[in-house]
Amino acid sequence: MQEVRTMETMEWKKRLPVGASDFKRIREECYFVDKTRFIKEFLDDHSEVTLITRPRRFGKTMAMSMLSYFFSMKNAEENRKLFEGTYIGQAGEKYLREQGKWPVVMLSLKDIKPLKYKSMVAQIGINMHELYGQYRYLTEENFLQGDDYDAFQDILYERASEDALQSSLGKLLHYLHRYHGKQVILLLDEYDSPIQAGWSAKESYYDEAISFMRAFLIRAVKDNTALHFAVLTGVLRVAKESIFSALNNLEVSTVVQGNYADIFGFTQEEVAVFAKEVGHADKLGEIKEWYDGYCFSGKEIYNPWSVVNYFHNDCFANVYWLNTSSNDIVTNLMRHADEEDERKLLLLLHGETIGVGIREGVIYSDLYESKDALYTMLLTTGYLKSMRVETDGGIPYCEVAIPNLEVRTVYQLEIMERYRRKLELSDLHIILKHLLAGRAEEFARGLEKYLVQIASFHDTGNKESFYHGFMLGLMAWLLPRYRVVSNRESGYGRFDLGIFPKVEGAPGAVMEFKVSETEDGLERAAQAALSQIAGKQYLAEFAAEGVTQVWQYGISFCGKKIWLARG
């Protein structure tokens, strides 16, 4: 393959692997990040069945395609050229002896996302029809006869029963084993996509999807003498429903623990080389802020989909990964959020961490009953990152945070959607402009209008935490142009909210909140809050950061009424 080394940006755009997941195409036509070390690490130590869970668009399909091209007997000599000059190509004859040696079955379920269970079964039937079509020679050479021939034809012509579909993958492995006289490698990509679809569907068919997929997988990989080994990828490890409980020899690699940590996604070194190759080494800081931040088994990882699209779009920093599919998980989280969830999410949004227990054997029906299950799902799907992992009694506990600026955007939008109710985002924008310009009366008027709607559907029993969360949620719209800090020590106390500009010379703001029992006491409480800002020297941290103009607001609340005093 001719390496592309010195090309102008416009030429590079044609060769960046945007949306490409076929290893052969990437190797021959696109910029190539060598992940073939995965093959060596896998051959050195693997189980009969390996499950690898990573967020979507982190290179799972490309890695499975790479395994297929390496191991498959089909076009073995031609495929061997794809690995010349790569890590595995130079790893030694011990590994190259495995190249082109095995029958391989590769199946992806990533596009199976129907709204109804019958449609899910039909779509799997179509996938199996296409898969069986690759092995027509089993019937054309009269190898399969009798019941086996009929079963093969039923799948091939999409007339198989639901039970026959559940057995179809396992049977195909047996057919190929008998034909080639060799065990078969199974590569199953995004195995959990039908399960996720069943869970998120408006009319849930989650239980039916679990039942189908349990039979489909177990009949293929449990005690199957035709199987050499299987590699499965997905977003979640669905364990409690017993999909994998029947497997005795299962290895699991997740974002928290396990092997192959730096195979899926780009490392910092790979991004640095990439940026240099395309002539944008000066953009590494922006790339890191927007697309870095993931931590898989202790390895720092960048989002590969977003990095490639960033370069493809002339280094325009934007939301790429989050726009590739719906954000149902975060949307459903906000729909079911209680006051404590809101508090934690707002802390995360403002750059802080929270501690959670990790339950990697996720059961979807527990997500809104177990907070650990919910936050585990957010971690596994890429909406959170693990900062530090500790194990107590065999259970991992994590400090988690939002990974980067791109992911923070989806939280920001979903949280603001929950808080704003009937107000348009333009209304919120105007309120915040008044805040940052020191226009106290306009800020107070808009804030009270906003509060009327929020307080009408929130439980304000815990008044102080409600109002603090209300203000923290409102300030979320200032990110990332400002750093918003909650309950930070400064001077001789802790201010409630501080807004620090990231642009030199721009004004900041500090706010102190009070709750009044009566409307008559609002003005007095607001003045007391304002006096506290000066008395406890809350401006000390602003001065330390070089912010010379700081608007000071003492704000008091009573039900849906407020009083604002500005210093």
Side-chain angles (χ1 to χ4, degrees):
M1 185 195 76
Q2 182 179 358
E3 297 288 348
V4 180
R5 293 296 181 187
T6 56
M7 305 189 70
E8 296 299 323
T9 302
M10 290 302 293
E11 183 68 14
W12 267 110
K13 287 176 65 175
K14 298 177 183 177
R15 296 176 179 267
L16 293 177
V18 177
S21 56
D22 180 78
F23 178 77
K24 185 175 189 290
R25 180 190 167 196
I26 293 173
R27 191 74 176 102
E28 293 179 341
E29 301 177 13
C30 304
Y31 181 85
F32 172 65
V33 178
D34 190 350
K35 295 289 186 179
T36 61
R37 180 167 46 84
F38 177 35
I39 300 170
K40 178 183 182 300
E41 291 182 2
F42 184 82
L43 287 172
D44 283 341
D45 182 22
H46 69 84
S47 297
E48 183 178 351
V49 181
T50 301
L51 171 64
I52 301 171
T53 62
R54 293 294 189 275
R56 55 187 167 85
R57 302 290 187 178
F58 267 71
K60 298 189 296 294
T61 302
M62 193 285 290
M64 296 287 264
S65 175
M66 177 177 70
L67 293 180
S68 179
Y69 278 107
F70 184 82
F71 288 112
S72 178
M73 299 170 61
K74 184 178 179 181
N75 300 323
E77 288 303 315
E78 179 182 341
N79 291 341
R80 192 180 186 94
K81 298 174 185 177
L82 300 176
F83 297 92
E84 291 177 358
T86 65
Y87 185 97
I88 193 65
Q90 300 170 354
E93 187 58 30
K94 169 186 174 182
Y95 301 100
L96 291 178
R97 279 198 299 267
E98 296 293 317
Q99 190 271 323
K101 182 178 178 181
W102 303 95
V104 173
V105 170
M106 181 170 172
L107 174 66
S108 177
L109 302 181
K110 66 179 180 179
D111 294 325
I112 297 184
K113 301 173 183 178
L115 299 177
K116 303 284 187 179
Y117 175 67
K118 286 186 177 179
S119 297
M120 184 205 88
V121 175
Q123 287 184 23
I124 290 178
I126 292 171
N127 277 31
M128 294 308 299
H129 151 77
E130 294 174 350
L131 183 65
Y132 269 51
Q134 299 175 29
Y135 305 99
R136 287 177 181 270
Y137 59 83
L138 294 174
T139 56
E140 291 171 351
E141 298 178 12
N142 295 321
F143 174 73
L144 292 180
Q145 297 182 0
D147 290 342
D148 287 340
Y149 177 87
D150 293 339
F152 194 99
Q153 294 294 96
D154 286 345
I155 298 294
L156 196 59
Y157 292 101
E158 300 181 59
R159 61 191 184 216
S161 67
E162 185 172 318
D163 185 68
L165 279 177
Q166 290 174 337
S167 301
S168 59
L169 185 58
K171 283 189 174 181
L172 180 60
L173 301 184
H174 280 290
Y175 298 154
L176 291 171
H177 181 212
R178 284 158 42 197
Y179 181 88
H180 292 285
K182 290 186 174 184
Q183 290 181 312
V184 184
I185 293 173
L186 172 63
L187 305 174
L188 182 57
D189 189 37
E190 304 287 4
Y191 85 94
D192 57 340
S193 183
I195 299 169
Q196 291 183 60
W199 170 71
S200 61
K202 186 175 181 180
E203 297 179 13
S204 175
Y205 57 89
Y206 173 70
D207 291 337
E208 293 94 333
I210 283 289
S211 179
F212 183 98
M213 291 306 299
R214 179 191 297 121
F216 185 74
L217 292 173
I218 293 302
R219 293 176 190 180
V221 300
K222 179 177 169 56
D223 299 329
N224 191 340
T225 56
L227 183 68
H228 183 44
F229 63 75
V231 181
L232 285 65
T233 70
V235 174
L236 294 174
R237 175 187 177 184
V238 184
K240 191 173 180 179
E241 293 89 345
S242 300
I243 280 186
F244 298 115
S245 63
L247 301 181
N248 300 321
N249 193 15
L250 173 69
E251 176 188 0
V252 182
S253 170
T254 71
V255 300
V256 177
Q257 55 191 355
N259 297 322
Y260 322 120
D262 59 354
I263 298 301
F264 301 88
F266 293 158
T267 66
Q268 185 163 323
E269 295 75 16
E270 288 165 345
V271 171
V273 172
F274 198 166
K276 182 179 179 181
E277 293 282 351
V278 297
H280 291 296
D282 59 320
K283 298 293 186 179
L284 286 174
E286 184 172 62
I287 298 170
K288 185 176 183 65
E289 181 181 23
W290 273 83
Y291 309 120
D292 186 18
Y294 295 93
C295 183
F296 298 163
S297 298
K299 296 286 188 179
E300 180 182 358
I301 297 295
Y302 286 66
N303 185 319
W305 175 267
S306 297
V307 170
V308 169
N309 278 276
Y310 173 82
F311 289 133
H312 179 71
N313 288 279
D314 293 328
C315 297
F316 177 66
N318 201 355
V319 175
Y320 297 112
W321 178 68
L322 296 170
N323 289 334
T324 59
S325 67
S326 66
N327 298 300
D328 289 340
I329 295 170
V330 178
T331 302
N332 287 329
L333 167 63
M334 293 309 302
R335 190 177 299 144
H336 292 82
D338 57 24
E339 188 173 297
E340 179 63 14
D341 292 325
E342 288 183 6
R343 185 188 70 81
K344 288 183 177 180
L345 286 168
L346 289 169
L347 287 174
L348 289 168
L349 189 61
H350 290 281
E352 300 188 36
T353 64
I354 61 172
V356 299
I358 301 302
R359 293 179 52 186
E360 292 193 285
V362 172
I363 174 170
Y364 283 79
S365 56
D366 279 353
L367 290 177
Y368 304 120
E369 298 177 6
S370 166
K371 300 305 181 186
D372 285 344
L374 177 59
Y375 285 103
T376 296
M377 189 178 201
L378 291 170
L379 176 64
T380 305
T381 52
Y383 291 96
L384 292 175
K385 66 174 178 179
S386 61
M387 301 290 289
R388 183 174 63 253
V389 182
E390 297 179 353
T391 302
D392 185 2
I395 300 174
Y397 292 88
C398 279
E399 288 289 323
V400 297
I402 293 175
N404 51 44
L405 192 53
E406 182 182 31
V407 177
R408 189 164 63 189
T409 302
V410 73
Y411 285 100
Q412 186 175 352
L413 291 172
E414 293 295 343
I415 287 172
M416 294 309 299
E417 187 66 25
R418 176 175 172 84
Y419 272 103
R420 72 185 179 93
R421 300 297 281 177
K422 296 179 182 178
L423 289 176
E424 296 296 330
L425 292 178
S426 57
D427 296 327
L428 299 180
H429 177 70
I430 291 170
I431 292 172
L432 295 176
K433 283 189 70 174
H434 290 323
L435 160 70
L436 295 170
R439 294 190 286 264
E441 290 185 10
E442 293 89 338
F443 175 42
R445 189 161 47 246
L447 192 61
E448 188 166 87
K449 179 183 177 183
Y450 188 38
L451 178 61
V452 166
Q453 295 195 40
I454 297 299
S456 67
F457 75 103
H458 272 71
D459 179 10
T460 60
N462 189 347
K463 294 178 180 179
E464 290 189 11
S465 65
F466 163 72
Y467 291 117
H468 194 112
F470 159 66
M471 292 300 295
L472 191 59
L474 178 62
M475 297 305 126
W477 204 245
L478 293 172
L479 301 171
R481 295 166 292 130
Y482 292 83
R483 184 169 61 92
V484 181
V485 179
S486 173
N487 287 319
R488 176 66 59 85
E489 286 190 13
S490 182
Y492 298 102
R494 291 176 177 268
F495 54 72
D496 284 324
L497 274 182
I499 301 170
F500 294 81
K502 292 186 177 181
V503 177
E504 186 176 354
V510 61
M511 287 175 271
E512 186 66 27
F513 310 134
K514 299 291 183 185
V515 176
S516 175
E517 294 298 324
T518 65
E519 290 186 18
D520 291 340
L522 277 170
E523 181 178 6
R524 185 170 58 254
Q527 291 295 340
L530 185 61
S531 297
Q532 184 173 323
I533 292 173
K536 294 196 174 182
Q537 300 182 22
Y538 287 163
L539 300 188
E541 185 171 344
F542 290 87
E545 295 196 15
V547 182
T548 56
Q549 183 180 11
V550 183
W551 300 113
Q552 304 169 50
Y553 295 102
I555 307 175
S556 59
F557 300 90
C558 180
K560 300 179 183 181
K561 297 291 185 180
I562 73 166
W563 195 282
L564 188 147
R566 197 206 77 187

